[in-house]
Amino acid sequence: MSSSTISVDGKSVELPVKEGTIGPSVVDISKLYGQTGMFTYDPGFTSTAATESKITYIDGDKGILLYRGYPIDQLAEHGDFLETCYLLLYGELPTAAQKADFDYRVTRHTMVHDQMNRFFTGFRRDAHPMAIMVACVGALSAFYHDSTDISDPHQRMIASMRMIAKMPTLAAMAYKYSIGQPFVYPQNGLDYTSNFLRMCFAVPAEEYKVNPVLSRALDRIFILHADHEQNASTSTVRLAGSSGANPFACIAAGIACLWGPAHGGANEAALKMLEEIGTPDRIPEYIAKAKDKNDPFRLMGFGHRVYKNYDPRARIMQKTTHEVLNELGIKDDPLLDVAVELEQIALKDEYFVEKKLYPNIDFYSGITLKAMGFPTSMFTVLFALARTVGWIAQWSEMIEDPSQRIGRPRQLYTGSPERDYVTVAQRG
Ligand code: SDX
């Protein structure tokens, strides 16, 4: 193992360098504080590897995304979402028999405890579905005590199956509740994504036939969103899990973090931005706002902490958008016209070129999901549904790591030095 030397206050400290399979090496600074009394400082974790992982690899400069070594475009093209779930969880693509068994095991957990229905009557009909998801996923730990002991691999596996299987059911329930329609129970004879579409859009009054083109497109969208290395919500799940919290609570924490508009909430924010722009002639006004340092407005769905090239998922997303709009006979979607024109202008603009800002996965997803019939408020719920397997795979990897300890970052303190109490009478 090679090493690096840093000099602190004239004292040289040797730190080991660890090599990865591919991608940047790391300087192991875990002994730095003990040897120097100093911390490193990296508030946004722009240069910090918080863990070792074998699950997902991103090369931001080249626009590469691999799940367990397989390129995202190949998985999206040839596989299905449950196959991707198996790959992320177990590290290898399943054989036909393994896939059939995995699909069967997930399918057997699609229903939720019937008393969960009562949670919904406590929410206002206009509650944001992400608020409902945070509440209900966290509440799963109140029902499934037989899968909260994280030291038991079998219980961890059952909890994982339950979350992958129940997220679509809870997401569909949140949607149905928001539109005042009765919940639709899962149909285990349908595939994972067709089952979800039926739970969202079927009504008791008539037969519902799943459109296979839309089901395939949404299944592919789930694959694109399944995992993404140590992003904010995954890091939240890992940190929550490092304290020994039960898996349902950890995933609820991940959902809460994903909700932010800088993260998974960007798909909802991006669509609202396109609707606000409205027509291509207003694009220059918004590009100017995005470039104005005094204006907090940002182009939602643009930019990424890691990708300084085109997000490979955005390309596949754009192709899927056209596929869905064609299937639905939507010839000219004004939102798509604005999005395509905005992308073309931004990618030629000096500001975006210099800052390496490209469309990310959230830029086109909203147009597709809206065309499928989902309200804007459900977009991040669908992101959370798909990302649940990534959170679980990363959480499991951490729990199974024998060197795992509770995560406890330190700080640079710039507050008041020690001072004595002053009574209210002395405060003037
Ligand atoms: C996701 O991490 C992941 O992997 C996340 C994700 C996943 O799958 O888990 O990929 C999913 O969250 C995608 C990102 C979705 N968010 C958005 O689309 C929101 C808009 N994007 C930005 O808020 C921003 O680009 C972030 C939050 C995504 C990244 O922020 P960074 O890495 O902290 O970058 P930054 O804010 O430091 O920006 C660098 C510069 C700044 O200008 P300067 O201060 O250097 O002059 O670029 C500018 C920013 O002002 N900038 C933008 C911009 N994004 C960055 N300017 C205008 N519009 C934007 N969208």
Side-chain angles (χ1 to χ4, degrees), residues 113-135:
H113 192 294
D114 224 37
Q115 276 179 219
M116 289 208 79
N117 294 356
R118 296 184 199 167
F119 284 124
F120 286 83
T121 52
F123 294 114
R124 286 173 37 161
R125 291 283 181 176
D126 63 351
H128 195 292
M130 281 297 276
I132 294 176
M133 293 305 286
V134 171

Side-chain angles (χ1 to χ4, degrees), residues 17-26 49 51-59 62 64 66-70 229 397:
V17 172
K18 291 185 170 183
E19 313 283 336
T21 321
I22 43 179
S25 303
V26 297
T51 187
E52 177 183 332
S53 179
K54 298 178 175 14
I55 300 173
T56 293
Y57 175 74
I58 303 172
D59 181 322
K62 296 185 186 139
I64 291 172
L66 310 175
Y67 289 168
R68 299 285 191 179
Y70 293 97
E229 201 216 63
E397 183 177 63

Side-chain angles (χ1 to χ4, degrees), residues 122-174:
F123 294 114
R124 286 173 37 161
R125 291 283 181 176
D126 63 351
H128 195 292
M130 281 297 276
I132 294 176
M133 293 305 286
V134 171
C136 288
V137 171
L140 287 173
S141 47
F143 289 87
Y144 299 110
H145 304 113
D146 61 340
S147 61
T148 51
D149 175 358
I150 61 163
S151 64
D152 176 350
H154 179 70
Q155 291 199 32
R156 293 203 302 268
M157 186 276 290
I158 294 289
S160 304
M161 293 297 112
R162 279 176 166 153
M163 271 184 284
I164 293 168
K166 296 179 195 305
M167 280 297 279
T169 309
L170 290 171
M173 291 169 78

Side-chain angles (χ1 to χ4, degrees), residues 228 262-263 293 298-299 301-302 304-305 313 355 387:
H228 212 238
H263 189 15
K293 296 309 293 168
R298 287 193 166 182
L299 282 190
F302 253 79
H304 198 277
R305 168 62 56 76
R313 304 167 298 176
K355 293 181 189 299
R387 184 53 58 88

Side-chain angles (χ1 to χ4, degrees), residues 200-219:
C200 288
F201 298 120
V203 288
E206 53 193 52
E207 277 306 302
Y208 177 79
K209 194 171 170 341
V210 176
N211 177 324
V213 174
L214 299 187
S215 179
R216 175 74 193 114
L218 187 57
D219 195 77

